[in-house]
Amino acid sequence: MDSLYVAWRYLSFNWLRTATLIGCVSIILALPLALNFLLDVGERQLTARAQATPLVVGAKGSALDLTLNALYFGEQVPELISMAEDEAIARSGLALPIPVYVRFHAREFPIVGTTLDYFELRGLSIASGRTLGVLGECVLGATVAERLGLAPGDSLLSSPESVFDLAGVYPLKMKVVGVLAPTHGPDDLAVFVDVKTAWVIQGLGHGHEDLASIEDESVVLERRDGNVMANAKLLKYNEITPANLDSFHFHGDPALYPLTGVIVAPNDERAGTILRGRYLQEESRQQIVRPDEVIGGLLQSIFRIKDMLDAAMATVGAATVLALILVFALSLRLREREMTTMFKLGCSRATMARFVAAEIMIIGAFTAVLCAAVLALVNAYGVDLVRALILQQGG
Amino acid sequence: MSSSAERFSVMRTSLSWLSVLLIASAVTSTTLAEDRLSVYVVNYPLKYFAERIGAEHVSVEFPVPAGEDPAFWKPTAEMIAAYQRADLILLNGASYAKWIATATLARSRLVDTSREFADHLVAGGNVTHSHGNTGAHAHGNFAFTTWLDFNQAAAQAKAVMEALARMRPDIRASFERNFEVLQSEFMALDAELNVMARKAANRPLLASHPVYQYLARRYALNIKSLHWEPDRVPEESEWTRLAAMQREHAAKWIIWEQAPLEASVQRLNAMGIGSVVFSPAANQPERGDFMTVMRANVANLGRALD
């Protein structure tokens, strides 16, 4: 007990040196542990979501971009495919296609245009309000609702793609009808809309007064062969309400409407294999990927880097341990006069060894506490941190 | 004494058995109700097809109120939620039920019953419009009373059968049997109409509304359509238009969706035009069912084609 007291007094007196020592040892110990923890969480998150997503179809190109966009709603928009691809998969009868159109944003959160099948695939449940009912409605992920302070009944504006694109996408005022229960995944950070609403945001669909019965003739450029041509004065609605819902319609062939990808849930393994075979032909302009394979590849790269980091960390760690031994040895040298005095006062060599051991023990205890605090912090914020890192990677 | 004790014992045994039977029947009916597929439809013909094919294995809901045209009915948010909860949603296709285009429904539950002949739908004659250079478009694209071609009705019924069988493969045989019976009834009507139509080839006919496109195409009927409501006597301008039409298309009969007002019938009679009813039966009929209505329709049309 006396040894601990003397050691404590000595360390308190030399507090700067002690704090530096504790800091160095803590960093050397906590860094690899925290890194390992984060990688484990990342691996679990990536793998779980990838395994829950059987197949993804998208344009040929980066399989990683396609997977990260379809699974994590990354900002990197892959080359677009058309709704015809989704319909072809549905017609094949081999799988359930779930269209995904992740291109637009509301504030900083991605707008995910999809169908209700997506909610079933991911097992998403509504915490408050209801699910999507009609065009122009949105359901918020738990984090989006919390950060924006929105609840069912509120409105949310979609953001223009570019502030300089004056003739481009007009913001659509969406009605918030529900908030999802937290999933601790990318769905918490998304704004879900019907894929048709995403097309309205893009301008492929819109609502306006009925031109066939319009009274203000200044809106009409010309009437010819049963076609009424309107000019720019025709007011288009930027909010879908029960009153104007019926006026919303789409231009062009719906089969050509864009998607960023299609999540494919095959009926069984055989159906999945047949489908994959169809996309292997060279002339196909689309690709089909297995997210678990793509994410597996990504993780392998991450782990190769991690192995290198581990080796570097081990070398640095070994060097630091040697440096610490040197520091202690030098410190004992510096304290030679102090030791001699203690010896003359009647302390045995064993007592002095106990003093030094007590100092090391106290430093070890503080280091352990600091490491535990760092790891607790990582544990508390690590899941969000990893998710943000994954989404950034997607972007 | 002993006989009354015997009677009592018999009565007690009977009551016990009765209770067991009642409980068993209650349990069975509850289980059956739980096992039944919940099917929502967008018009009455599909309700009829699903009930005929699915029989006791389905619970078919058609929430459109009587008297409303299901093609233009608008469901409330609660009603859309009810559709979302269904195991299957049977659609007519051909842009029928306008609300489907703006509603959010799970693809996995939707069945487009006219998909098989989607490439052969009749284009509607809507006014088109365009905004600047974006190209003309119309808001409703196809004639949608697809089931009035009985061959197409059979194809739609087959799509219903396939959808039910996908959901309940264990009782596919039952669905197939029921479908075959229904199909044979359609084929009988189809054959009957074909014989009648051949006898009256190219005979001019009028229709009160443009809803008989598929009937006309399948049975090669020479029909020109008006826009007359059966519950309203047409205005003078409409009679004038009819008279003008008669000069090029000398029809002796007009086909109505439902019984017209007597005043309209009398005035048409005076012009030498008889009235027959061929109900599309898009909504639940007041009497009978889809098949009885169609049989009556064929018989009525027989008068015009005789």
Side-chain angles (χ1 to χ4, degrees):
Chain A
M1 200 61 199
D2 293 343
S3 332
L4 273 176
Y5 177 75
V6 174
W8 172 247
R9 296 300 303 167
Y10 173 79
L11 290 174
S12 311
F13 184 77
N14 297 291
W15 65 270
L16 190 63
R17 202 177 66 184
T18 309
T20 311
L21 211 57
I22 289 170
C24 286
V25 178
S26 299
I27 287 171
I28 293 299
L29 287 176
L31 208 60
L33 288 174
L35 201 64
N36 263 319
F37 175 81
L38 290 176
L39 281 170
D40 276 354
V41 171
E43 186 189 1
R44 273 205 305 275
Q45 277 195 12
L46 284 166
T47 311
R49 199 159 172 89
Q51 283 173 348
T53 315
L55 296 167
V56 175
V57 168
K60 266 190 176 161
S62 164
L64 185 60
D65 279 352
L66 171 64
T67 306
L68 291 177
N69 180 271
L71 271 66
Y72 303 98
F73 319 134
E75 282 178 21
Q76 187 69 46
V77 180
E79 204 178 314
L80 302 177
I81 57 169
S82 71
M83 192 62 187
E85 203 55 45
D86 175 277
E87 281 161 11
I89 297 166
R91 264 200 309 278
S92 75
L94 294 168
L96 169 70
I98 303 172
V100 184
Y101 194 29
V102 189
R103 176 174 169 183
F104 305 105
H105 287 78
R107 314 277 274 270
E108 72 268 36
F109 299 103
I111 295 174
V112 180
T114 186
T115 63
L116 289 186
D117 297 305
Y118 181 87
F119 289 60
E120 283 182 23
L121 178 85
R122 296 274 183 241
L124 304 178
S125 58
I126 301 287
S128 62
R130 60 169 172 81
T131 192
L132 300 169
V134 294
L135 213 61
E137 293 179 343
C138 66
V139 166
L140 306 181
T143 311
V144 178
E146 190 189 323
R147 290 200 194 153
L148 299 182
L150 294 174
D154 294 335
S155 297
L156 179 63
L157 267 182
S158 68
S159 312
E161 271 189 306
S162 161
V163 285
F164 303 110
D165 185 12
L166 295 178
V169 176
Y170 282 95
L172 178 73
K173 192 174 177 186
M174 298 175 289
K175 185 180 172 193
V176 178
V177 293
V179 176
L180 294 174
T183 61
H184 307 292
D187 298 321
D188 288 353
L189 291 161
V191 175
F192 290 95
V193 298
D194 189 306
V195 69
K196 289 176 281 192
T197 303
W199 292 329
V200 170
I201 293 171
Q202 188 172 345
L204 294 170
H206 60 209
H208 53 73
E209 285 179 276
D210 182 7
L211 276 170
S213 58
I214 199 158
E215 287 176 2
D216 182 4
E217 279 299 316
S218 66
V219 169
V220 178
L221 267 182
E222 69 170 335
R223 294 176 190 272
R224 194 173 55 193
D225 303 331
N227 179 48
V228 185
M229 186 181 280
N231 57 32
K233 192 181 171 189
L234 180 70
L235 189 69
K236 292 178 193 170
Y237 305 123
N238 68 349
E239 182 182 5
I240 303 173
T241 63
N244 67 23
L245 178 64
D246 290 341
S247 77
F248 273 80
H249 56 278
F250 293 88
H251 286 250
D253 181 0
L256 300 177
Y257 291 171
L259 299 174
T260 46
V262 179
I263 293 176
V264 180
N267 299 340
D268 48 43
E269 204 168 318
R270 184 174 157 273
T273 310
I274 296 171
L275 260 179
R276 291 180 72 192
R278 289 186 184 177
Y279 287 90
L280 287 177
Q281 293 156 4
E282 279 185 12
E283 63 267 25
S284 173
R285 293 173 62 191
Q286 285 79 36
Q287 62 173 330
I288 190 163
V289 298
R290 279 184 58 172
D292 55 346
E293 283 179 1
V294 177
I295 296 300
L298 173 69
L299 287 173
Q300 269 181 1
S301 307
I302 292 173
F303 282 115
R304 268 200 297 275
I305 298 167
K306 189 204 163 239
D307 286 346
M308 283 172 8
L309 273 175
D310 279 350
M313 209 71 86
T315 313
V316 173
T320 313
V321 170
L322 288 174
L324 285 175
I325 292 169
L326 192 67
V327 166
F328 267 98
L330 289 173
S331 142
L332 288 177
R333 272 271 175 90
L334 285 172
R335 294 166 67 186
E336 205 169 354
R337 280 181 55 213
E338 180 192 330
M339 297 284 177
T340 313
T341 311
M342 285 165 79
F343 188 68
K344 283 178 180 168
L345 283 172
C347 283
S348 68
R349 283 186 185 279
T351 307
M352 283 192 292
R354 274 209 307 278
F355 288 157
V356 175
E359 281 173 25
I360 293 172
M361 217 168 75
I362 290 170
I363 289 171
F366 272 96
T367 303
V369 170
L370 196 60
C371 279
V374 170
L375 290 177
L377 272 176
V378 171
N379 191 30
Y381 298 104
V383 176
D384 287 339
L385 182 70
V386 167
R387 199 166 54 202
L389 286 173
I390 292 169
L391 292 179
Q392 239 172 34
Q393 171 71 27
Chain B
M1 188 68 188
S2 100
S3 114
S4 101
E6 217 168 77
R7 269 205 306 275
F8 178 71
S9 160
V10 167
M11 223 164 81
R12 204 173 53 185
T13 315
S14 307
L15 276 172
S16 310
W17 276 108
L18 192 65
S19 320
V20 168
L21 279 173
L22 279 173
I23 292 166
S25 114
V27 167
T28 312
S29 63
T30 312
T31 313
L32 253 178
E34 279 169 4
D35 283 353
R36 288 203 297 180
L37 287 172
S38 161
V39 180
Y40 270 67
V41 298
V42 295
N43 61 22
Y44 171 66
L46 291 175
K47 174 181 162 73
Y48 180 77
F49 301 167
E51 282 178 341
R52 282 286 304 268
I53 296 165
E56 73 273 20
H57 303 293
V58 296
S59 158
V60 186
E61 295 294 332
F62 172 52
V64 181
E68 273 204 51
D69 186 345
F72 301 99
W73 174 69
K74 289 181 200 170
T76 58
E78 291 74 28
M79 201 49 76
I80 289 175
Y83 270 89
Q84 288 173 337
R85 285 192 294 271
D87 295 318
L88 269 182
I89 303 168
L90 300 179
L91 306 180
N92 188 73
S95 58
Y96 193 91
K98 308 294 174 200
W99 65 272
I100 296 288
T102 53
T104 302
L105 299 168
R107 155 80 70 79
S108 53
R109 316 270 170 89
L110 298 178
V111 180
D112 178 356
T113 57
S114 62
R115 177 186 274 180
E116 192 193 304
F117 50 88
D119 295 338
H120 305 289
L121 294 173
V122 174
N126 293 306
V127 173
T128 65
H129 72 263
S130 57
H131 319 276
N133 297 321
T134 55
H137 65 279
H139 293 176
N141 296 325
F142 298 107
F144 48 66
T145 43
T146 49
W147 60 92
L148 295 185
D149 167 345
F150 294 124
N151 204 40
Q152 286 184 175
Q156 289 187 266
K158 190 177 181 191
V160 173
M161 186 273 287
E162 291 291 351
L164 293 176
R166 265 199 304 279
M167 299 290 289
R168 292 290 306 273
D170 53 319
I171 43 174
R172 184 182 186 98
S174 162
F175 295 147
E176 281 178 345
R177 269 196 310 276
N178 295 341
F179 164 68
E180 278 160 19
V181 175
L182 182 61
Q183 187 186 32
S184 66
E185 290 175 25
F186 280 134
M187 290 306 103
L189 284 173
D190 186 67
E192 195 179 341
L193 253 181
N194 261 321
V195 170
M196 288 192 313
R198 263 200 297 274
K199 275 197 238 164
N202 219 27
R203 180 177 299 174
L205 294 167
L206 289 169
S208 64
H209 254 107
V211 291
Y212 301 107
Q213 297 92 335
Y214 296 103
L215 181 80
R217 185 178 70 178
R218 172 75 183 164
Y219 306 104
L221 301 177
N222 181 14
I223 300 177
K224 282 203 169 174
S225 299
L226 304 162
H227 280 88
W228 287 13
E229 301 299 334
D231 56 353
R232 191 175 61 84
V233 177
E235 289 170 11
E236 225 27 67
S237 60
E238 290 172 299
W239 290 105
T240 312
R241 203 172 300 130
L242 172 63
M245 191 188 270
Q246 278 288 80
R247 282 196 283 278
E248 289 176 2
H249 187 79
K252 299 280 182 214
W253 292 91
I254 179 168
I255 307 167
W256 293 87
E257 290 171 88
Q258 61 190 67
L261 294 175
E262 192 52 33
S264 303
V265 175
Q266 292 300 330
R267 187 152 176 189
L268 282 165
N269 280 341
M271 291 173 76
I273 302 172
S275 295
V276 289
V277 173
F278 195 107
S279 167
N283 206 331
Q284 180 106 31
E286 282 175 22
R287 280 184 301 279
D289 59 27
F290 182 80
M291 203 50 84
T292 57
V293 170
M294 288 303 144
R295 284 187 186 123
N297 283 341
V298 172
N300 290 344
L301 194 58
R303 283 166 50 214
L305 298 175
D306 195 14

